[in-house]
Amino acid sequence: SVFRGGFTLSAAEGVSGFDAPEVLDLLSHLVDRSMVMASRSVGNGDPRFGLLDTLRDFARDRLEASNEAEALHERLVDYVGAVAGEAAIGLPGPDESEWLDRLDADFANIRRAVTWELANHRVDRVLRVLGDLKMFFIARDEIMPEARSWVEIAVDELNAEPSIHLADALSTGGILAWSVGDLDEADRLQGRSLELARELGGPDEVFRATGDLGLIAVDRGDLERARTLFSEGLAVARDGDNPGDTAVALANLAHATPMPEQETLILDALHIHRQTGRLTGIAHMSLMLAWLNLSDGDLDSGREWFRAAQQGFEQLHNQGAQVEALCGLADVALQRGDPAAADASVARAEALAAHIDWPGAGAMALTRRALLRRVDDPAGCLEALADAGDAWGLSGLEAGLAENLGMRAKVALDL
């Protein structure tokens, strides 16, 4: 009953404290009596088990009446910490999709473990989990607000002591704040993370912090600061033995590099991601190449790269990135004179954006919906772009607002 989102056999073994044969025997009897439900595995993982709500409530009441509740919850936190640690290693590799599925299945247990620790004013293990699950949180828009609240409680309200695990948790909070356009908070958290990384960490922590701060600088239009941070990160990555870090550093640097040099950096990063099987990296590089080709007027290549990105992010269930790829496809269709295809892409983007707690997604979709009116109703288009500009302003993403202002200028010239 301490599990909230079901459990695997290995999870039951770890949390119950019983020997593996005994756990298997007990579970088999409970399944035979329909007291525990067995379900198919997630991806290539183990089969999962769960309790009906009424039985779980009954079992929880019995557990709370015993003297075992504390020990079992402690072991649940240990189990979640072990899963998070394994995920930190597995997510950057070729099994990324399987790991995302596994974490999706276990998220209710992750929530239970984290909230239990925070309610009991314990932060050490929570900091590790928050740091280890950074890539999972940013791939799941729907859980970003909850993950941010955990960081806030652990870091600010419970006054976590300085440590490298605190630096990792600060990094997670910073990238989550950046993802929803809260650039001031992102800068604050990432700045503290970099200070701790330089003081207590090693090259990996410095690499991570410089990259995250550089992305914030890009969104603020401070490309000189971004290039300085990204260049430091690239030097650190090349001194290490992790090709994935080098690929990330090259892609980061492309964000702050003049256009003629961007493609080489992105293609080099894409080559590394393909070698290592990093699906998120491949999808993001495809998206960057799509925008680059579109800006160069190569509509055919742009469309193919946007499609590749959208399919990759769909496979990874990353809805926010899918919105961006679909908006890119709408831009291509508009420039090709195909409003029907543009409308279809915008409609899909709007449907996804409606379920995402990221204002940038809605602003992108609003902008493309407005542009569909440019030919037949330029005055209405300009008004709708102004509404989208308000959404960009609320998102805090100045690059999006700048693009929106440019579009409004073009429509104003049409008029």
Side-chain angles (χ1 to χ4, degrees):
S1 68
V2 299
F3 293 105
R4 286 296 180 269
F7 54 92
T8 62
L9 178 61
S10 60
E13 292 169 0
V15 175
S16 70
F18 295 129
D19 293 334
E22 190 174 5
V23 172
L24 180 60
D25 183 58
L26 286 167
L27 270 180
S28 297
H29 280 80
L30 291 168
V31 170
D32 289 343
R33 287 158 179 76
S34 299
M35 297 183 73
V36 168
M37 305 293 112
S39 60
R40 289 182 294 177
S41 63
V42 177
N44 296 321
D46 298 327
R48 295 187 69 84
F49 302 89
L51 290 162
L52 296 174
D53 289 343
T54 52
L55 285 172
R56 186 173 60 244
D57 291 343
F58 171 76
R60 186 178 62 245
D61 290 342
R62 295 294 299 271
L63 177 64
E64 294 298 334
S66 73
N67 60 357
E68 300 179 62
E70 180 79 17
L72 282 169
H73 281 98
E74 287 287 323
R75 288 200 288 268
L76 176 66
V77 176
D78 287 338
Y79 163 74
V80 166
V83 170
E86 294 172 16
I89 298 171
L91 280 171
D95 297 328
E96 176 184 18
S97 183
E98 288 80 3
W99 267 107
L100 289 172
D101 288 341
R102 179 178 175 183
L103 292 171
D104 284 335
D106 251 342
F107 181 66
N109 294 323
I110 294 168
R111 175 192 287 125
R112 178 59 178 163
V114 170
T115 54
W116 171 271
E117 286 288 276
L118 293 177
N120 287 280
H121 298 265
R122 296 185 293 233
V123 297
D124 290 344
R125 289 184 293 183
V126 169
L127 294 177
R128 295 190 183 195
V129 170
L130 293 175
D132 286 340
L133 294 184
K134 172 182 176 180
M135 293 174 59
F136 171 60
F137 294 145
I138 63 177
R140 294 292 181 260
D141 307 275
E142 65 274 15
I143 64 176
M144 281 186 184
E146 194 168 7
R148 286 190 70 191
S149 72
W150 294 341
V151 174
E152 180 181 351
I153 294 170
V155 170
D156 294 326
E157 295 185 20
L158 298 181
N159 298 315
E161 294 293 325
S163 69
I164 198 59
H165 299 302
L166 174 59
D168 291 339
L170 286 164
S171 173
T172 297
I175 203 69
L176 291 173
W178 170 76
S179 297
V180 297
D182 190 350
L183 300 187
D184 289 339
E185 178 68 359
D187 214 343
R188 180 182 76 87
L189 294 172
Q190 295 292 8
R192 288 181 63 192
S193 180
L194 181 57
E195 290 175 5
L196 287 171
R198 295 196 191 283
E199 179 184 353
L200 304 173
D204 290 345
E205 289 76 24
V206 172
F207 165 75
R208 179 212 66 228
T210 53
D212 292 343
L213 275 171
L215 291 173
I216 297 168
V218 168
D219 274 350
R220 284 189 152 156
D222 190 349
L223 297 187
E224 183 176 353
R225 183 187 183 215
R227 278 192 292 271
T228 299
L229 290 163
F230 289 150
S231 296
E232 180 181 355
L234 181 58
V236 171
R238 282 176 168 162
D239 285 340
D241 59 355
N242 187 337
D245 285 351
T246 300
V248 170
L250 289 168
N252 284 342
L253 189 58
H255 286 292
T257 299
M259 192 172 293
E261 303 168 33
Q262 285 183 8
E263 187 171 15
T264 299
L265 292 170
I266 299 169
L267 286 172
D268 287 347
L270 177 61
H271 177 69
I272 296 172
H273 283 311
R274 282 174 170 167
Q275 285 184 319
T276 59
R278 179 79 169 95
L279 298 181
T280 292
I282 294 170
H284 276 294
M285 295 310 96
S286 299
L287 189 59
M288 291 179 72
L289 287 168
W291 288 118
L292 198 61
N293 279 275
L294 180 61
S295 67
D296 284 342
D298 188 346
L299 300 183
D300 290 339
S301 296
R303 181 173 59 184
E304 293 310 306
W305 283 118
F306 278 126
R307 284 176 175 171
Q310 195 274 325
Q311 290 167 4
F313 288 125
E314 185 175 26
Q315 181 181 351
L316 294 164
H317 310 297
N318 188 328
Q319 295 180 317
Q322 284 185 69
V323 170
E324 184 175 352
L326 287 165
C327 286
L329 284 170
D331 288 350
V332 171
L334 284 172
Q335 292 192 36
R336 294 173 69 94
D338 189 349
D343 180 75
S345 293
V346 172
R348 292 179 64 190
E350 289 171 330
L352 288 170
H355 302 288
I356 298 174
D357 188 39
W358 174 42
M364 274 191 285
L366 276 173
T367 299
R368 272 65 191 185
R369 176 59 66 190
L371 289 175
L372 287 170
R373 303 169 64 178
R374 182 174 178 180
V375 174
D376 297 328
D377 182 16
C381 174
L382 187 60
E383 183 178 349
L385 281 173
D387 292 338
D390 291 340
W392 278 118
L394 291 172
S395 78
L397 300 175
E398 295 180 4
L401 180 58
E403 180 187 47
N404 176 275
L405 289 166
M407 292 176 178
R408 286 153 71 179
K410 292 178 181 177
V411 178
L413 286 173
D414 291 345
L415 288 164

